[in-house]
Amino acid sequence: MLSNPFNFRSSFREAERLRRDMNELFEMLDRGPRLSVAATYPAMNVWTNPDGAIVTAELPGINPEDLEISVQGDTLTLRGNRSADALGEGEAYHRRERGNGQFQRAFQLPFAVDAAKVEATYELGVLSITLPRAESDKPRKIQVASA
Amino acid sequence: MAESKEIEVREAEKQELAQSGAERTRAQQAFVPRVDIYETDEMVAVVADMPGVDAGSVDINLEQSVLTITGNVNEKRPEGYTLAYAEYRTGDYVRSFTLSNQIDQDRIEAGVKDGVLRVHLPKVRPTSKKITVSAG
């Protein structure tokens, strides 16, 4: 907002700020949001629309049966285990970069989730959880009654 | 197995492929996949984490003694959704290794399952017989 349209200096600054904001916005639309650092394994991406969200995580080489997904209110909890390959006799590792072990992550969503309608798929090592927004959480349009 | 072991956060990080001399023809970002390499008497095995890659999009190339594994990822963006928060990026995978063993190229086996590529590189069986030098 222009604080004082007659003050040239300040309106110039405002215009400059607006230009910068617009640039940032276009950059965001182009490349998506800035990369955040995961709090714990695994890293997650969150896709949203007004009706819900899709949370994705790259979890290569996991047995889907070892995954435990639970939702309570607006919190999604993911627990799992990535087991290591069992090496046979006479086999030795040269390199070992792939992590293994247990993981647990709780993630808070910006809305309450309809837990009964949550669906998850695991494909090509990518987990995708569809979380519909609870009806009670959706904004309600209020009709204005004319008197 | 050690059941209490936990995966560390750094395991969630993807290492971007450093720009080398040759530029990539695909506009997508490329990452260095995490690998396990182990060896037995018969073969060398490479196991690489490549989430999003399937059998059709993976390429294994052995030239001279350099093994290159490439995986192209065609990201599926959920329709009708926008990416609101991101902790990882998706892209292709590229990594090369120099092998010290003689590999039998015709018997290389590879498979992709659940985003994990496994390549078995059988060693060339020694065909030469031991020659005994008789003194005389």
Side-chain angles (χ1 to χ4, degrees):
Chain A
M1 276 284 121
L2 297 180
S3 47
N4 176 359
F6 299 105
N7 182 333
F8 173 75
R9 263 174 185 280
S10 106
S11 56
F12 182 78
R13 260 206 306 274
E14 285 293 326
E16 180 58 26
R17 193 180 61 85
L18 191 68
R19 190 186 65 80
R20 227 178 22 237
D21 285 356
M22 286 307 281
N23 277 353
E24 248 170 52
L25 182 71
F26 282 126
E27 237 169 65
M28 242 179 76
L29 290 172
D30 192 35
R31 290 192 324 215
R34 225 162 271 223
L35 209 60
S36 306
V37 178
T40 53
Y41 186 91
M44 287 175 167
N45 280 359
V46 183
W47 300 77
T48 56
N49 74 7
D51 296 324
I54 294 179
V55 171
T56 61
E58 292 187 332
L59 291 161
I62 277 189
N63 181 357
E65 281 167 21
D66 288 344
L67 277 176
E68 197 188 310
I69 301 160
S70 60
V71 175
Q72 193 172 36
D74 62 354
T75 308
L76 165 75
T77 310
L78 180 67
R79 265 192 213 95
N81 180 39
R82 198 169 118 112
S83 43
D85 291 0
L87 283 199
E89 190 98 3
E91 297 180 347
Y93 274 113
H94 289 313
R95 255 172 218 261
R96 229 177 155 180
E97 299 166 355
R98 302 170 61 239
N100 60 75
Q102 293 181 324
F103 57 87
Q104 178 177 344
R105 179 145 194 209
F107 198 92
Q108 197 181 11
L109 292 148
F111 51 78
V113 174
D114 186 348
K117 288 185 185 154
V118 173
E119 282 172 24
T121 56
Y122 181 67
E123 204 183 348
L124 307 178
V126 182
L127 176 70
S128 172
I129 310 165
T130 308
L131 304 140
R133 189 169 177 175
E135 279 306 321
S136 59
D137 192 76
K138 284 186 186 170
R140 255 181 52 210
K141 200 170 180 180
I142 287 127
Q143 292 286 336
V144 178
S146 51
Chain B
M1 289 307 305
E3 274 298 312
S4 58
K5 195 198 168 215
E6 286 202 15
I7 300 192
E8 291 172 52
V9 200
R10 62 178 177 84
E11 314 279 6
E13 249 174 67
K14 285 169 96 173
Q15 193 194 334
E16 250 180 78
L17 184 76
Q19 185 80 52
S20 59
E23 278 185 55
R24 288 167 41 73
T25 49
R26 275 168 70 93
Q28 274 210 70
Q29 237 176 328
F31 298 95
V32 180
R34 288 178 178 277
V35 297
D36 285 350
I37 299 177
Y38 60 87
E39 191 176 342
T40 68
D41 290 339
E42 288 88 38
M43 55 123 190
V44 177
V46 177
V47 184
D49 280 346
M50 297 169 128
V53 164
D54 60 20
S57 61
V58 75
D59 187 55
I60 298 149
N61 186 34
L62 182 63
E63 207 177 318
Q64 309 286 4
S65 61
V66 178
L67 172 77
T68 304
I69 51 175
T70 316
N72 290 338
V73 174
N74 291 314
E75 196 200 357
K76 271 191 252 149
R77 295 178 154 253
E79 218 166 292
Y81 289 83
T82 49
L83 185 61
Y85 173 79
E87 287 177 348
Y88 70 87
R89 297 245 185 264
T90 49
D92 299 339
Y93 301 94
V94 185
R95 195 156 176 186
S96 298
F97 303 95
T98 308
L99 303 167
S100 52
N101 298 92
Q102 281 285 330
I103 301 299
D104 187 347
Q105 302 229 16
D106 298 328
R107 291 194 299 129
I108 295 177
E109 278 173 33
V112 190
K113 192 178 175 263
D114 295 335
V116 180
L117 169 72
R118 283 165 204 276
V119 189
H120 285 185
L121 304 143
K123 294 178 191 171
V124 171
R125 293 192 188 100
T127 46
S128 57
K129 273 184 185 162
K130 202 172 178 182
I131 295 147
T132 43
V133 180
S134 53

